[in-house]
């Protein structure tokens, strides 16, 4: 499947709305699978504490140059956005939804260690899932994201989806919901 970039204007407008309406619980932003780091850079332009995690070292080098060229304060890290221990989650998510995950690399540098952060330290996570990867992104966010954090995903047909992680307590049990 050929790569098609997200519509950065649509994503910027969504980020701008989130910031203007103060929807995120804080200012920490992470782009999962950041590629050239454009969305992380847009978040930085909106004065978020932005970082991006990308598995392809060449893209990380190019994204750092791009951010430097525009004088943007964004941390772009080489590694996997899949947290340590999340490999099984990857397999479960794809098995549950009948999708092959063989192309997804999880045995890379732990990007969160380099950042000095954990996945639940972010208030807003952005991802542009490949076809069939939507379930994985949502499952990872459900498992590792902070309560109250937002997940913004770009979808086909120039649309975005915003979800908040909430924990509902019913009858002494905890149910996770989005």
């Amino acid at each position: 499947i050929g790569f098609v970039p997200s519509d950065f204007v649509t994503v910027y407008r969504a980020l701008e709305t989130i910031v203007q309406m103060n929807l995120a619980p804080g200012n920490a932003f992470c782009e999962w699978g950041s590629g050239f780091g454009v969305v992380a850079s847009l978040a930085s332009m909106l004065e978020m504490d932005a970082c991006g995690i990308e598995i392809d070292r060449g893209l990380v080098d190019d994204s750092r140059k791009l951010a430097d060229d525009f004088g943007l304060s964004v941390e772009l890290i080489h590694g996997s956005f899949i947290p340590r221990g999340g490999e099984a989650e990857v397999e479960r998510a794809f098995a549950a939804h009948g999708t092959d995950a063989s192309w997804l690399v999880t045995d890379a540098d732990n990007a969160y260690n380099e950042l000095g952060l954990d996945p639940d330290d972010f208030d807003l996570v952005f991802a542009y899932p490949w076809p069939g990867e939507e379930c994985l992104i949502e499952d990872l966010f459900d498992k590792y994201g902070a309560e109250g954090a937002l997940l913004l995903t770009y979808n086909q047909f120039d649309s975005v989806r915003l979800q908040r992680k909430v924990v509902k307590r019913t009858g002494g049990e905890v149910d996770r919901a989005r």
Side-chain angles (χ1 to χ4, degrees), residues 40-58:
S41 293
L42 293 173
S44 175
M45 291 171 62
L46 291 166
E47 300 182 6
M48 297 197 82
D49 297 325
C51 71
I53 300 173
E54 173 56 47
I55 196 74
D56 184 310
R57 188 173 298 280

Side-chain angles (χ1 to χ4, degrees), residues 108-148:
D109 295 337
N110 185 335
Y112 300 103
N113 281 350
E114 189 170 338
L115 288 167
L117 299 168
D118 290 317
D120 64 355
D121 289 326
F122 297 103
D123 303 301
L124 174 57
V125 173
F126 172 81
Y128 178 15
W130 286 83
E133 189 182 75
E134 299 88 353
C135 61
L136 169 64
I137 296 298
E138 292 177 2
D139 289 350
L140 287 171
F141 184 74
D142 280 347
K143 183 169 184 176
Y144 296 100
E147 184 176 344

